[in-house]
Amino acid sequence: MKDLKEKILKGMPKPHLRVFLFRHGEVLNAKDMRMNGHIDVRLSKKGEKQMVAAAKALAKRPISAVYSSDLYRAKRGGELTARLTGRKLKINPALREMNFGELEGLAWKEAVEKMGGQVEKLLNWKDNRFPGGENLIDFQKRVMPVYKKIIARESGELALFAHGGANRIIIYSEFNLGLDNFFMFEQSYGCVNIIDYYEMGMKVLRLLNGGAHCIKNFKAI
């Protein structure tokens, strides 16, 4: 503790862990605005290019570990990155997107009809559990224990490929933002968020919804 205090007095200490948190690339049915959830939809050509760009950007970094969900759209980015960095891809199904239950695969208009025209209920993911699926509390309880174990065991620079909803859950939970305004910030296809972790539990959100090209602007830790 004494050594840590001395480091802080000398200036901002370096983080012991940096997480590059990616959303998967654009999917084939992106224009349909479908609730893909656990459906294993494939990437579009643009989505594939986004993941190639992410992997190439990460290959220039001292990446220590690569994680992804088990769904192809996220796993593809992990596979490409693992190949270029020489790291083994660690896959965990708990990092999947939210489970929309009976609404999975439906376009938003179809989902509204399925919910009896109750748009407000469809948009309130925290209080309303999707029939046969999850609400945000369930989602958080699934994702965060796994994420906490990952950041507890890793150090250096870590790449994690997940989903728009999973990324939001992680960021909201890590920075105590609450889940009431779940769509407060965007998570574009292929985007990256950067979280730095320091001793004494301090954490900093260095980048939100950035492009893979932004990665080069951050010095290695």
Side-chain angles (χ1 to χ4, degrees):
M1 182 65 74
K2 183 180 179 181
D3 291 340
L4 181 58
K5 288 182 179 179
E6 290 178 354
K7 288 180 182 178
I8 293 174
L9 290 173
K10 290 179 181 180
M12 186 69 174
K14 289 185 177 181
H16 71 273
L17 173 67
R18 171 170 292 162
V19 177
F20 292 99
L21 179 62
F22 277 87
R23 185 187 183 190
H24 59 77
E26 181 186 82
V27 291
L28 281 174
N29 61 7
K31 292 181 180 179
D32 297 335
M33 293 286 289
R34 293 191 177 275
M35 302 178 73
N36 289 315
H38 288 196
I39 294 176
D40 207 7
V41 64
R42 296 285 164 152
L43 297 174
S44 66
K45 290 182 179 180
K46 180 179 179 180
E48 178 73 14
K49 289 180 180 179
Q50 288 171 326
M51 291 297 91
V52 169
K56 287 182 176 179
L58 290 168
K60 298 176 182 179
R61 313 283 311 185
I63 297 298
S64 57
V66 184
Y67 288 82
S68 80
S69 88
D70 63 331
L71 295 177
Y72 178 84
R73 58 190 187 272
K75 187 172 65 175
R76 180 58 176 159
E79 290 172 341
L80 292 168
T81 300
R83 187 183 305 164
L84 292 182
T85 60
R87 298 296 177 184
K88 180 180 178 181
L89 175 59
K90 301 175 183 181
I91 300 171
N92 197 310
L95 298 171
R96 283 185 174 195
E97 183 57 281
M98 187 166 175
N99 184 350
F100 297 114
E102 296 176 13
L103 303 186
E104 297 234 318
L106 298 183
W108 276 93
K109 184 177 179 180
E110 296 169 335
V112 171
E113 293 174 355
K114 184 79 172 180
M115 297 291 284
Q118 301 179 66
V119 177
E120 67 284 350
K121 194 171 183 179
L122 181 63
L123 294 177
N124 184 353
W125 295 9
K126 179 183 177 183
D127 301 314
N128 299 303
R129 182 176 288 107
F130 291 104
E134 298 174 312
N135 62 19
L136 290 182
I137 306 302
D138 302 325
F139 193 17
Q140 186 178 50
K141 288 179 179 179
R142 166 165 60 84
V143 172
M144 290 312 296
V146 170
Y147 181 77
K148 289 292 189 182
K149 287 180 181 178
I150 290 172
I151 62 174
R153 77 166 68 102
E154 300 291 353
S155 60
E157 298 195 346
L158 178 159
L160 193 159
F161 290 84
H163 307 263
N167 288 0
R168 287 186 176 95
I169 282 288
I170 290 169
I171 295 169
Y172 277 59
S173 301
E174 286 296 271
F175 294 95
N176 300 313
L177 297 177
L179 300 175
D180 293 308
N181 189 5
F182 195 60
F183 301 102
M184 184 193 316
F185 58 80
E186 182 60 66
Q187 284 293 278
S188 304
Y189 287 123
C191 76
V192 60
N193 311 282
I194 300 177
I195 307 175
D196 281 353
Y197 290 87
Y198 298 80
E199 296 178 66
M200 293 181 67
M202 188 172 74
K203 62 198 78 168
V204 177
L205 182 61
R206 299 290 305 278
L207 180 68
L208 179 66
N209 197 43
H213 65 279
C214 298
I215 291 176
K216 65 179 183 296
N217 297 325
F218 295 85
K219 292 182 180 180
I221 62 173

